[in-house]
Amino acid sequence: FIQNNIIGRKCTRTVIAAGQWSVGRIPPGSKYARLPPTQFPQYRDEIHNMIVDLQASDANGIFLRSIHYNSLGDVKLTCPPQDWRHPAVIDQLNMIIKNLTQSMGVQFIDTSQII
């Protein structure tokens, strides 16, 4: 992915937002339908590994941005929820991203105020 979509295209700046799919609704009937949402420790490990891979590559100008809220309703407020993109979950994902970018020397862009 990094080679084909970032380095191969000669990107000078790349802004990455990773998290919506990790906690989003898994469509019924898909091969992932019975999987739970990504847990916070696993998400942290996945983002950490992504940053390590990016830093080890020739990619330049990498930024991670905050994850945006989604409207509440339908599948987010059912019991049990079918979609875990609730503000409290998104806030935790953003804290994980912010902490990792600070500790790993990657720039973080907080876009939470523009939504």
Side-chain angles (χ1 to χ4, degrees):
F1 179 86
I2 295 170
Q3 183 62 44
N4 291 340
N5 294 297
I6 298 173
I7 298 169
R9 294 181 185 204
K10 298 180 174 50
C11 294
T12 58
R13 302 284 184 268
T14 302
V15 178
I16 299 170
Q20 291 287 345
W21 287 13
S22 300
V23 292
R25 182 175 189 222
I26 299 172
S30 79
K31 65 180 179 178
Y32 305 107
R34 300 208 186 276
L35 294 179
T38 304
Q39 302 295 306
F40 295 134
Q42 180 185 353
Y43 178 78
R44 187 211 169 278
D45 292 345
E46 289 173 1
I47 298 301
H48 178 271
N49 292 339
M50 178 184 68
I51 293 171
V52 167
D53 289 347
L54 287 164
Q55 289 176 328
S57 73
D58 291 330
N60 296 313
I62 301 297
F63 302 83
L64 270 70
R65 76 158 174 83
S66 55
I67 306 303
H68 298 155
Y69 294 142
N70 289 267
S71 60
L72 293 176
D74 66 346
V75 295
K76 290 174 201 69
L77 297 177
T78 61
C79 186
Q82 300 173 39
D83 185 310
W84 294 266
R85 290 177 290 176
H86 189 277
V89 173
I90 298 299
D91 287 344
Q92 185 63 35
L93 296 182
N94 284 331
M95 186 59 62
I96 291 169
I97 296 168
K98 186 174 183 179
N99 289 340
L100 282 173
T101 55
Q102 287 176 347
S103 68
M104 298 178 77
V106 175
Q107 292 192 10
F108 174 74
I109 302 172
D110 185 358
T111 58
S112 61
Q113 299 303 314
I114 64 172
I115 299 298

